[in-house]
Amino acid sequence: MAGNTFGKIFQLSTYGESHGTAIGGIIDGCPAGLNLDLEKIQKELDRRRPGQSDITTQRSESDTVTFLSGIFEGKTTGTPIAFQIPNKDQISKDYSAIKDVYRPSHADFAYDAKYGHRDYRGGGRSSARETAVRVAAGAVAKQFLALSEIKIKAFVSCIAEAELSEGIENLDLSAPENEIRCPDPIVASQMRKLIEEARDSGDSLGGIITCIIENVPAGLGEPVFDKLHANLGKAMLSINAVKGFEIGSGFAAAKMRGSEHNDSFVKSGSKTITKTNYSGGVQGGISNGMNIVFRIAFKPVASIGKSQDTVNNKGEETNIKIEGRHDPCVVPRAVPIVEAMAALVIADHSLINRSTKV
Amino acid sequence: MAGNTFGKIFQLSTYGESHGTAIGGIIDGCPAGLNLDLEKIQKELDRRRPGQSDITTQRSESDTVTFLSGIFEGKTTGTPIAFQIPNKDQISKDYSAIKDVYRPSHADFAYDAKYGHRDYRGGGRSSARETAVRVAAGAVAKQFLALSEIKIKAFVSCIAEAELSEGIENLDLSAPENEIRCPDPIVASQMRKLIEEARDSGDSLGGIITCIIENVPAGLGEPVFDKLHANLGKAMLSINAVKGFEIGSGFAAAKMRGSEHNDSFVKSGSKTITKTNYSGGVQGGISNGMNIVFRIAFKPVASIGKSQDTVNNKGEETNIKIEGRHDPCVVPRAVPIVEAMAALVIADHSLINRSTKV
Amino acid sequence: MAGNTFGKIFQLSTYGESHGTAIGGIIDGCPAGLNLDLEKIQKELDRRRPGQSDITTQRSESDTVTFLSGIFEGKTTGTPIAFQIPNKDQISKDYSAIKDVYRPSHADFAYDAKYGHRDYRGGGRSSARETAVRVAAGAVAKQFLALSEIKIKAFVSCIAEAELSEGIENLDLSAPENEIRCPDPIVASQMRKLIEEARDSGDSLGGIITCIIENVPAGLGEPVFDKLHANLGKAMLSINAVKGFEIGSGFAAAKMRGSEHNDSFVKSGSKTITKTNYSGGVQGGISNGMNIVFRIAFKPVASIGKSQDTVNNKGEETNIKIEGRHDPCVVPRAVPIVEAMAALVIADHSLINRSTKV
Amino acid sequence: MAGNTFGKIFQLSTYGESHGTAIGGIIDGCPAGLNLDLEKIQKELDRRRPGQSDITTQRSESDTVTFLSGIFEGKTTGTPIAFQIPNKDQISKDYSAIKDVYRPSHADFAYDAKYGHRDYRGGGRSSARETAVRVAAGAVAKQFLALSEIKIKAFVSCIAEAELSEGIENLDLSAPENEIRCPDPIVASQMRKLIEEARDSGDSLGGIITCIIENVPAGLGEPVFDKLHANLGKAMLSINAVKGFEIGSGFAAAKMRGSEHNDSFVKSGSKTITKTNYSGGVQGGISNGMNIVFRIAFKPVASIGKSQDTVNNKGEETNIKIEGRHDPCVVPRAVPIVEAMAALVIADHSLINRSTKV
């Protein structure tokens, strides 16, 4: 009810505050008999972790994950897989500046309104630190999906004014990731420059991530409320700083005619495919076997170095200047989070789909 | 699991195919003691029903709702509220054209891939006829929310090239709805013209709906996976033909700086409000007391009068021309559906929120 | 949340009051492609219906079920199966006697305490009339289970002082049911006599039903909270008038030694079975392939013809004599309800089990 | 889906195997603002822990619980409360005897049938060690219930031939617990003698626990499938070794007349109570304000020192003698587990009940 669990069959429950003892989770419903490569899971966490380059926050968290249950002799047993990531960077610092003063566009004010009190250290439960747990769980889901050759690939397609102009089909998504996680090196260097400028001026930037899921069989997703793209949308909108989600044609569909937007079915060998993919791989809420393609908008990080007007918890007007080591742009680090949430959704729907026919 | 239920406490389960005996639903979890005005519920259905003007489909369905349980002496009893809408327009017509041939950008192909067989009459369960049930249930939710003065108002802000340019604050949303459901009469008449053109050329149009929710108290929504806007997003993306969702600044946030996007807190009398509302009324997944504002993109209707290339269920290439009485643009009729889904989400979170504190 | 839905994958949601327009339900999650024999479903309802013999209530309800969705060309489509049973016996009678006065050991007092007001006609939602919906849904589940040769058979093993002394293995459970639904004709006639005496003296009787499920494959049930017998127990305890549930050895286990109670594994051809079955077919919460055997205790019907002391809704002491046509003993009519709930549990766990292995 | 989560609002998810790194859980949905006394939680674990006297297993597990999240400045924050109990007693011993041979009346055979492979060390997930997590979570629930003066008290009422004959009303339940947890010292010493005999002969004993819940307000429980006693029954039947559950009159009701069994309402000061309590505090599935009283039957422990016939995982007949330090009777140690599960059910229904009225 309190929303710390995601999924129906392949289910993740998470816990943990930014500056508590640890964050972690339980994966319940991962089928038995899956050979788990724990190093691959750690590698996904390394893609997300702070301090990985000079354009991310300089907080140094190693984010080492430990598994506590549900794996025996290298294989999942079908029982809950619990895992944990200790909070190492708990510098005992002075929180008096944010204890009583609401940071603009952060969750502080809303938490106090909801709960009456809150763990204010580093944002507590509202901190994006929580997403490390999603990445670890998503890495398990990815290994389950790999059994069916399903591949998930996200990348940065826009940061502020720097935007990919190439169509997806012209990008080399198999090349090694650069630090920006934008597959076009020229656009990536423009993005890097914008991020450096923002960092140096104490400001922050938003952006867009595009995600492609390949080899999803036709038939995943449920017709009415649990449409595949509705659950993908919820998954993405639940990531910190996300303001929008679109699949296939997305908002551009509003200006199109049906005769232009409809995806004609054609034969490709023995397979039925569509000539175009404005549907984004989902029709009537159910995958049609084409690539699933969606885009997610991120707002600029709320923690900025400039002084801002605000109100404190006594209802008095004041101002705040947020100190500390913050990302000028979280979008590159959000790429593995997007992939993880996509993996959780597809894994869950794969299992739900096992009950479709007698 | 099969996704025909929405919500956790204020919960709607639906059933029914386009050309079966009836469609209907059960609302479970509506609190006892609510005086229900059944006429108001019927009026919401009338806003959605086909045949209401010459720019909608000419199918004449009266969509009369009957309540079967859960109401006694005019008040809800706390037990399930079942209701039903008979399918009147079941003309026994010839479905051979669509029985075996997959309509482009419809759910036909995906349903066959998923279930092995399907009720092909009028789209069966994938038909947007199912949304009438959502409207009825949403009308109950609206009456529950009215006890807290919460108001939900959606309107058409874009159809193809015709788009509202005015800021929301300059629109008169209290005026009676026109048939387009666009609050600016000049833009509405441009939209009408575009729809007439599409209708006459056998084509269809997409568009955008904007929705505003007023008087939501601060504190609704759950921090991690059940963020208020994540559940609103899922609700909207589950509506037929929706391709995108954005809240507050939405996709425009990708191009903004934090110093511009952050919503400063200020005092307004004894209340804490924000100077701007790029957050769209939700921060950290929790309502902050400001208006909740979001936008939803609809694709053009897939049923068009032009001949289209496609494939049949034997895997042979063929073509199809869809006969019948279809909407050239569903966006105006989707306005009450958007409001209904918003009402269901807010009602549900209002009840979930009752467990927040000891 | 309000508890009108049962099951996780094969899921039943129900509605309806004793004297409302109709009762009914939605089965969501029944796999597509099941050939449904609707006459068999009606026959199960006939086994439960009132007025079937002179030892049941003389209310004459035909309990005719109609299906509204989810079935096409005789087969389930995988979409929700809605069905409905009209309330025919709505004699507009005088309820003033029970409107304000709490019938002892009925739900009247508890409902008023919970909801503030209630539909007092015939018990409203608390009436056992609601179980007709369970029987209809259970009949669908039975047809799904029949694909795996799973058979469910319940019978009356005790009514007041008349009790089966034979071991289950000596009973002929394939013989046609008598009106008492006790497989030993001599004990059945003793039971009949006790029921007639109770009926004639305005009193009522309790009893016990035994249920056997054959051909359940090993592996159904989940280890910790959703143990197979825990869900069977919940299902049975949710039936009106049930006061106890035991599986296998049950309460007798309290007096046994481990060396006596342990079920040794032995070979039977290529199959591993147990020599005894004190486990009742479930070990560690998971079926082991043996017959599942459990027993359910029913209290005597609360509606009796004798005058009783009670209190009214103004808090004044008074007395009540319940008029009308009540069963002196519901146990024979409860047999199909027990089977239906068992079928729902086993069908649900069969589908849950599909996600166990990669 | 895999059944490692219990409750709807006050929700517990658990993980861990007997000989893994740790066991633990997440409580999600505990309201914010509860002052938690962590020592009281540890004390409940001490009541359950092995090695507490010479009639329990001599395994020495300290069962020290650590809290990782959800508590700040001594109060719950409304975010998930994660906690952990390390497995200290992981003697690296030889499991070859039980690796391939199925222990009679254990879960070994059923687990292999279900999952294909299993963590065989000490029973893995099927070990009753898992119940320590329930006790910790139940101790949190108890503190939440204490805000409403709700008290839960369980005790041993039968071990083999030694049985309490006194009515509940004559027992002094406020006296300090003895090691048997039977409130009658004479019967307790008979029970102790029977346990010593079983221990010395390598055998084991079953028994019965009675549980009383005081001060539950009228109105908890949901009418149809989530009847309060149905959920209590499921909770109890999910505890290892439980074979039966009965509430109020229980199985004895089968032999009673309605005129004897009905609980007349009477006035007691301004309160409405019942003269008798055969209902066990629940009517129509909803609490009526009287004490909730139920009984749970435990089978004798399956691990016994005697040689037993069985089959191995190659399907060959063999025999097994289970070595190690096992409880001859788990019933005394199960008392805090019963109380914990009862606390979880009542806490959950208390929160569910907050949505009952507008």
Side-chain angles (χ1 to χ4, degrees):
Chain A
M1 197 58 42
N4 297 289
T5 295
F6 189 81
K8 290 188 166 181
I9 296 188
F10 194 107
Q11 201 168 55
L12 171 66
S13 298
T14 75
Y15 65 85
E17 279 79 41
S18 172
H19 286 62
T21 311
I23 57 174
I26 304 174
I27 301 166
D28 195 15
C30 181
L34 176 65
N35 287 299
L36 267 190
D37 181 335
L38 301 185
E39 273 181 47
K40 272 193 185 167
I41 298 169
Q42 184 58 51
K43 268 181 194 157
E44 290 291 325
L45 279 165
D46 295 344
R47 289 173 77 206
R48 195 213 73 102
R49 81 174 174 81
Q52 58 186 276
S53 86
D54 63 343
I55 53 163
T56 67
T57 169
Q58 294 308 302
R59 290 193 312 276
S60 61
E61 288 159 359
S62 64
D63 283 356
T64 308
V65 64
T66 309
F67 287 83
L68 305 172
S69 65
I71 306 168
F72 186 60
E73 298 177 341
K75 280 195 297 191
T76 58
T77 59
T79 62
I81 302 172
F83 60 94
Q84 200 168 305
I85 304 168
N87 287 329
K88 290 225 172 126
D89 191 38
Q90 302 175 53
I91 306 167
S92 178
K93 65 176 180 182
D94 183 10
Y95 291 101
S96 54
I98 61 166
K99 185 175 180 300
D100 302 324
V101 179
Y102 298 129
R103 294 171 296 166
S105 287
H106 270 279
D108 306 346
F109 173 78
Y111 264 61
D112 262 11
K114 184 177 186 71
Y115 297 111
H117 80 129
R118 71 183 203 279
D119 181 347
Y120 45 75
R121 300 168 304 166
R125 183 70 176 152
S126 75
S127 164
R129 174 138 190 76
E130 163 262 316
T131 57
V133 177
R134 305 185 186 207
V135 170
V140 174
K142 275 186 176 181
Q143 296 191 33
F144 171 63
L145 294 175
L147 299 179
S148 320
E149 310 287 336
I150 297 173
K151 275 177 213 166
I152 298 170
K153 180 71 196 163
F155 55 89
V156 176
S157 48
C158 167
I159 286 179
E161 293 76 24
E163 202 163 354
L164 274 183
S165 54
E166 290 293 330
I168 289 169
E169 54 286 359
N170 298 322
L171 296 168
D172 178 9
L173 298 176
S174 62
E177 286 184 332
N178 52 46
E179 67 194 350
I180 303 288
R181 298 202 169 93
C182 171
D184 180 323
I186 296 167
V187 181
S189 70
Q190 294 165 352
M191 290 172 171
R192 192 188 158 87
K193 220 177 140 220
L194 287 165
I195 296 174
E196 287 169 347
E197 282 169 18
R199 182 194 58 195
D200 297 344
S201 63
D203 215 330
S204 64
L205 301 177
I208 294 175
I209 289 176
T210 299
C211 184
I212 301 176
I213 316 178
E214 296 176 340
N215 298 333
V216 177
L220 299 197
E222 300 298 316
V224 179
F225 298 115
D226 285 343
K227 291 188 163 84
L228 187 57
H229 61 290
N231 279 339
L232 284 167
K234 171 171 174 167
M236 299 307 146
L237 289 158
S238 78
I239 299 173
N240 304 49
V242 172
K243 301 303 287 180
F245 171 87
E246 58 180 12
I247 183 159
S249 54
F251 275 85
K255 311 224 159 163
M256 292 170 78
R257 265 66 189 167
S259 55
E260 174 191 8
H261 190 278
N262 280 358
D263 295 316
S264 293
F265 289 107
V266 290
K267 298 300 299 178
S268 168
S270 66
K271 233 186 131 186
T272 294
I273 63 166
T274 61
K275 219 183 293 186
T276 48
N277 187 17
Y278 291 115
S279 299
V282 181
Q283 290 177 329
I286 300 171
S287 62
N288 66 356
M290 299 297 290
N291 282 352
I292 294 177
V293 186
F294 54 87
R295 286 160 33 101
I296 311 127
F298 288 78
K299 70 168 185 177
V301 178
S303 291
I304 57 174
K306 297 175 191 282
S307 176
Q308 300 176 81
D309 293 334
T310 190
V311 166
N312 66 19
N313 63 8
K314 291 184 200 70
E316 301 157 344
E317 298 198 336
T318 177
N319 56 61
I320 190 167
K321 200 179 154 201
I322 300 169
E323 308 292 343
R325 301 153 297 168
H326 300 287
D327 287 89
C329 179
V330 291
V331 185
R333 283 180 58 211
V335 165
I337 307 170
V338 165
E339 291 180 10
M341 291 309 295
L344 290 172
V345 171
I346 303 297
D348 197 31
H349 273 287
S350 298
L351 293 173
I352 290 170
N353 206 42
R354 291 190 182 179
S355 302
T356 299
K357 289 188 248 188
V358 288
Chain B
M1 198 58 41
N4 298 288
T5 295
F6 189 81
K8 290 188 165 181
I9 296 188
F10 195 107
Q11 201 168 55
L12 170 66
S13 298
T14 75
Y15 65 84
E17 279 80 40
S18 172
H19 286 62
T21 311
I23 57 174
I26 303 174
I27 301 167
D28 195 16
C30 181
L34 177 65
N35 287 299
L36 267 190
D37 181 337
L38 302 185
E39 273 181 47
K40 272 194 185 166
I41 298 169
Q42 184 59 52
K43 267 181 195 158
E44 290 291 326
L45 279 164
D46 295 344
R47 289 173 76 206
R48 195 213 74 103
R49 82 173 175 83
Q52 58 187 277
S53 85
D54 64 343
I55 54 162
T56 67
T57 170
Q58 293 308 302
R59 290 193 311 277
S60 61
E61 287 158 0
S62 64
D63 284 355
T64 308
V65 64
T66 309
F67 287 83
L68 305 172
S69 65
I71 305 168
F72 186 60
E73 298 176 341
K75 280 196 297 190
T76 58
T77 59
T79 62
I81 302 171
F83 60 95
Q84 200 168 304
I85 304 167
N87 287 329
K88 290 224 171 127
D89 191 36
Q90 302 176 53
I91 306 168
S92 179
K93 66 176 178 181
D94 183 9
Y95 290 101
S96 53
I98 62 166
K99 185 175 180 300
D100 302 325
V101 179
Y102 297 128
R103 293 171 298 165
S105 287
H106 270 279
D108 306 346
F109 172 79
Y111 265 61
D112 262 11
K114 184 177 186 71
Y115 296 111
H117 80 130
R118 72 182 203 279
D119 181 347
Y120 44 76
R121 300 167 304 166
R125 183 70 176 151
S126 75
S127 164
R129 174 140 189 76
E130 163 262 317
T131 57
V133 177
R134 305 185 186 207
V135 170
V140 174
K142 274 186 176 181
Q143 297 191 34
F144 171 64
L145 294 174
L147 299 178
S148 320
E149 310 287 336
I150 297 173
K151 275 177 213 166
I152 298 171
K153 179 71 195 163
F155 55 89
V156 176
S157 48
C158 168
I159 286 179
E161 293 77 25
E163 202 163 355
L164 275 184
S165 54
E166 290 292 330
I168 289 169
E169 53 286 0
N170 299 322
L171 297 168
D172 178 9
L173 298 177
S174 62
E177 287 185 332
N178 51 47
E179 67 194 350
I180 303 288
R181 299 203 167 93
C182 172
D184 180 324
I186 296 167
V187 182
S189 70
Q190 294 165 350
M191 290 173 171
R192 192 188 158 87
K193 218 175 141 221
L194 287 166
I195 295 174
E196 286 169 347
E197 282 170 18
R199 182 193 59 196
D200 297 345
S201 64
D203 215 330
S204 64
L205 301 177
I208 294 175
I209 289 175
T210 300
C211 184
I212 301 176
I213 316 179
E214 296 176 339
N215 298 333
V216 178
L220 299 197
E222 300 298 316
V224 179
F225 298 115
D226 285 344
K227 291 188 163 84
L228 187 57
H229 61 289
N231 279 340
L232 284 168
K234 171 172 174 166
M236 299 307 146
L237 290 158
S238 78
I239 299 173
N240 305 48
V242 172
K243 301 304 287 179
F245 170 87
E246 58 179 12
I247 183 158
S249 54
F251 276 86
K255 312 224 157 160
M256 292 171 79
R257 265 65 188 168
S259 54
E260 175 191 7
H261 189 278
N262 280 358
D263 295 316
S264 293
F265 290 107
V266 291
K267 298 300 300 178
S268 167
S270 67
K271 234 187 129 184
T272 295
I273 63 166
T274 62
K275 219 183 292 186
T276 49
N277 187 17
Y278 291 115
S279 298
V282 181
Q283 290 178 327
I286 300 170
S287 63
N288 66 356
M290 299 297 291
N291 281 353
I292 294 177
V293 186
F294 55 86
R295 285 160 35 101
I296 312 128
F298 288 79
K299 70 169 186 177
V301 178
S303 291
I304 56 174
K306 297 175 192 282
S307 176
Q308 300 176 81
D309 293 335
T310 190
V311 165
N312 66 19
N313 63 8
K314 292 185 199 71
E316 301 158 344
E317 298 198 335
T318 177
N319 57 62
I320 191 168
K321 201 179 154 200
I322 300 169
E323 308 291 345
R325 301 154 297 167
H326 301 287
D327 287 270
C329 179
V330 290
V331 184
R333 283 180 57 211
V335 165
I337 307 170
V338 164
E339 291 180 10
M341 292 308 295
L344 289 172
V345 171
I346 303 297
D348 197 32
H349 274 285
S350 298
L351 293 173
I352 291 170
N353 207 42
R354 291 190 181 179
S355 301
T356 299
K357 290 187 249 188
V358 289
Chain C
M1 198 59 40
N4 298 289
T5 295
F6 189 81
K8 290 187 167 182
I9 296 187
F10 194 108
Q11 201 167 55
L12 171 67
S13 297
T14 76
Y15 66 84
E17 280 80 41
S18 173
H19 286 61
T21 311
I23 57 175
I26 303 174
I27 301 167
D28 194 15
C30 181
L34 177 65
N35 287 299
L36 268 190
D37 181 337
L38 302 185
E39 272 182 48
K40 271 193 185 166
I41 298 169
Q42 185 58 52
K43 267 182 193 156
E44 290 291 325
L45 279 165
D46 295 344
R47 288 173 76 205
R48 195 214 74 103
R49 82 172 175 83
Q52 60 187 276
S53 85
D54 63 343
I55 53 163
T56 67
T57 170
Q58 292 308 299
R59 291 192 312 275
S60 61
E61 289 158 359
S62 65
D63 284 354
T64 307
V65 64
T66 308
F67 287 82
L68 305 173
S69 66
I71 306 169
F72 186 60
E73 298 176 341
K75 280 196 296 188
T76 57
T77 59
T79 62
I81 302 171
F83 60 94
Q84 200 167 303
I85 305 167
N87 287 328
K88 292 227 171 124
D89 191 38
Q90 301 177 52
I91 306 167
S92 179
K93 66 177 179 181
D94 183 8
Y95 290 102
S96 55
I98 62 167
K99 184 175 181 300
D100 302 323
V101 179
Y102 297 129
R103 294 170 298 165
S105 287
H106 270 278
D108 307 345
F109 173 78
Y111 264 60
D112 262 10
K114 185 177 186 70
Y115 296 111
H117 81 129
R118 71 182 203 280
D119 181 347
Y120 45 75
R121 300 166 304 166
R125 183 72 177 149
S126 75
S127 164
R129 173 138 191 77
E130 163 262 317
T131 57
V133 177
R134 305 184 186 208
V135 169
V140 174
K142 274 186 177 183
Q143 295 190 34
F144 171 64
L145 294 174
L147 299 179
S148 320
E149 311 287 336
I150 297 173
K151 275 178 213 164
I152 299 171
K153 180 71 196 164
F155 55 88
V156 176
S157 49
C158 168
I159 286 179
E161 293 76 24
E163 202 163 354
L164 275 184
S165 54
E166 288 294 331
I168 288 169
E169 54 286 359
N170 298 322
L171 297 168
D172 179 9
L173 298 177
S174 62
E177 286 185 333
N178 52 46
E179 68 193 351
I180 303 288
R181 299 205 167 91
C182 172
D184 180 324
I186 296 168
V187 181
S189 70
Q190 293 165 352
M191 289 172 170
R192 193 191 155 87
K193 220 176 141 221
L194 287 166
I195 295 174
E196 286 169 346
E197 283 170 18
R199 181 194 61 196
D200 297 345
S201 64
D203 215 330
S204 65
L205 301 177
I208 294 173
I209 289 176
T210 300
C211 183
I212 300 176
I213 316 178
E214 295 176 341
N215 298 333
V216 178
L220 300 196
E222 300 298 315
V224 178
F225 297 115
D226 285 344
K227 291 188 164 84
L228 187 57
H229 61 288
N231 278 340
L232 284 167
K234 171 171 175 168
M236 300 305 147
L237 289 157
S238 79
I239 300 172
N240 304 48
V242 171
K243 302 302 288 180
F245 170 87
E246 58 180 13
I247 184 158
S249 54
F251 276 85
K255 311 224 157 161
M256 292 170 77
R257 266 65 189 168
S259 54
E260 176 190 6
H261 189 278
N262 281 359
D263 295 317
S264 293
F265 289 107
V266 290
K267 299 300 299 178
S268 167
S270 67
K271 233 188 129 184
T272 295
I273 63 166
T274 61
K275 219 184 293 187
T276 48
N277 187 17
Y278 290 115
S279 299
V282 181
Q283 291 178 327
I286 299 170
S287 63
N288 66 356
M290 300 296 292
N291 281 351
I292 294 177
V293 186
F294 55 86
R295 286 159 35 100
I296 310 128
F298 288 79
K299 70 170 186 175
V301 178
S303 290
I304 57 174
K306 296 174 193 279
S307 176
Q308 301 175 79
D309 293 336
T310 190
V311 165
N312 65 21
N313 62 7
K314 292 184 200 72
E316 301 158 343
E317 297 198 335
T318 178
N319 56 63
I320 191 168
K321 201 179 155 200
I322 300 169
E323 308 292 344
R325 302 152 298 166
H326 299 286
D327 287 89
C329 178
V330 291
V331 186
R333 282 181 57 212
V335 164
I337 307 171
V338 164
E339 292 180 10
M341 292 308 296
L344 290 171
V345 171
I346 302 297
D348 197 32
H349 274 286
S350 297
L351 292 172
I352 291 170
N353 206 43
R354 290 190 182 180
S355 302
T356 299
K357 288 187 249 188
V358 289
Chain D
M1 198 58 42
N4 298 289
T5 295
F6 188 81
K8 290 187 168 182
I9 296 187
F10 195 108
Q11 202 168 54
L12 171 67
S13 298
T14 76
Y15 65 85
E17 280 79 40
S18 172
H19 286 62
T21 311
I23 58 175
I26 303 174
I27 301 167
D28 194 15
C30 181
L34 176 65
N35 287 299
L36 268 190
D37 181 336
L38 302 185
E39 272 183 48
K40 270 193 185 166
I41 298 170
Q42 185 58 53
K43 268 182 193 156
E44 289 292 323
L45 279 165
D46 295 344
R47 289 173 76 205
R48 196 215 75 102
R49 83 173 175 82
Q52 60 187 274
S53 84
D54 63 342
I55 54 163
T56 66
T57 170
Q58 292 309 298
R59 290 192 312 275
S60 59
E61 288 158 0
S62 65
D63 285 354
T64 308
V65 65
T66 309
F67 287 83
L68 306 172
S69 65
I71 306 168
F72 186 61
E73 298 177 342
K75 279 195 296 190
T76 57
T77 59
T79 62
I81 303 171
F83 60 94
Q84 201 168 303
I85 305 167
N87 287 328
K88 291 228 172 122
D89 192 37
Q90 302 177 53
I91 305 168
S92 178
K93 66 177 179 182
D94 183 8
Y95 290 101
S96 54
I98 62 166
K99 184 175 180 299
D100 302 323
V101 179
Y102 297 129
R103 293 171 298 165
S105 287
H106 270 278
D108 307 345
F109 173 79
Y111 265 60
D112 262 11
K114 185 177 186 70
Y115 296 111
H117 80 130
R118 71 183 204 279
D119 181 346
Y120 45 75
R121 300 167 304 165
R125 183 71 176 150
S126 75
S127 164
R129 172 137 191 77
E130 163 262 317
T131 57
V133 177
R134 306 184 185 207
V135 169
V140 174
K142 275 186 175 181
Q143 295 190 34
F144 172 64
L145 295 174
L147 300 178
S148 320
E149 310 287 336
I150 297 174
K151 276 178 212 165
I152 299 172
K153 180 71 197 163
F155 54 88
V156 176
S157 49
C158 168
I159 286 179
E161 293 78 24
E163 203 163 354
L164 275 184
S165 54
E166 289 294 329
I168 289 169
E169 54 285 0
N170 298 322
L171 296 168
D172 178 9
L173 297 177
S174 63
E177 286 185 333
N178 52 46
E179 67 194 351
I180 303 288
R181 300 205 167 91
C182 171
D184 180 324
I186 295 167
V187 181
S189 70
Q190 292 165 353
M191 289 173 171
R192 194 191 155 87
K193 219 175 141 221
L194 286 165
I195 295 174
E196 286 169 347
E197 283 170 18
R199 181 194 61 195
D200 297 345
S201 64
D203 215 331
S204 65
L205 300 177
I208 293 173
I209 290 176
T210 300
C211 184
I212 300 175
I213 316 179
E214 295 177 341
N215 297 335
V216 177
L220 300 196
E222 300 299 315
V224 178
F225 297 115
D226 285 343
K227 291 188 164 84
L228 187 57
H229 61 289
N231 279 339
L232 284 167
K234 172 171 174 167
M236 299 305 147
L237 288 157
S238 78
I239 300 172
N240 304 47
V242 171
K243 303 301 289 179
F245 170 88
E246 58 180 13
I247 184 158
S249 55
F251 277 85
K255 311 222 157 161
M256 292 169 78
R257 266 65 188 168
S259 54
E260 175 191 7
H261 189 278
N262 281 358
D263 295 317
S264 293
F265 290 107
V266 289
K267 299 300 299 178
S268 167
S270 67
K271 232 187 129 183
T272 295
I273 62 167
T274 62
K275 218 184 293 186
T276 48
N277 187 17
Y278 291 116
S279 299
V282 181
Q283 290 178 328
I286 300 170
S287 64
N288 66 356
M290 300 296 291
N291 282 351
I292 295 178
V293 186
F294 54 87
R295 286 159 35 101
I296 311 128
F298 288 78
K299 70 170 186 175
V301 179
S303 291
I304 57 174
K306 297 175 193 279
S307 176
Q308 300 176 79
D309 293 335
T310 190
V311 165
N312 66 20
N313 62 7
K314 292 185 200 71
E316 302 158 343
E317 298 198 333
T318 177
N319 56 63
I320 191 168
K321 201 178 154 199
I322 301 169
E323 307 292 344
R325 301 151 299 166
H326 300 285
D327 287 89
C329 179
V330 291
V331 185
R333 282 181 58 211
V335 164
I337 307 170
V338 164
E339 291 180 10
M341 292 307 297
L344 289 172
V345 171
I346 302 297
D348 197 32
H349 274 286
S350 298
L351 292 173
I352 291 170
N353 206 43
R354 290 190 182 180
S355 302
T356 299
K357 288 187 249 189
V358 290

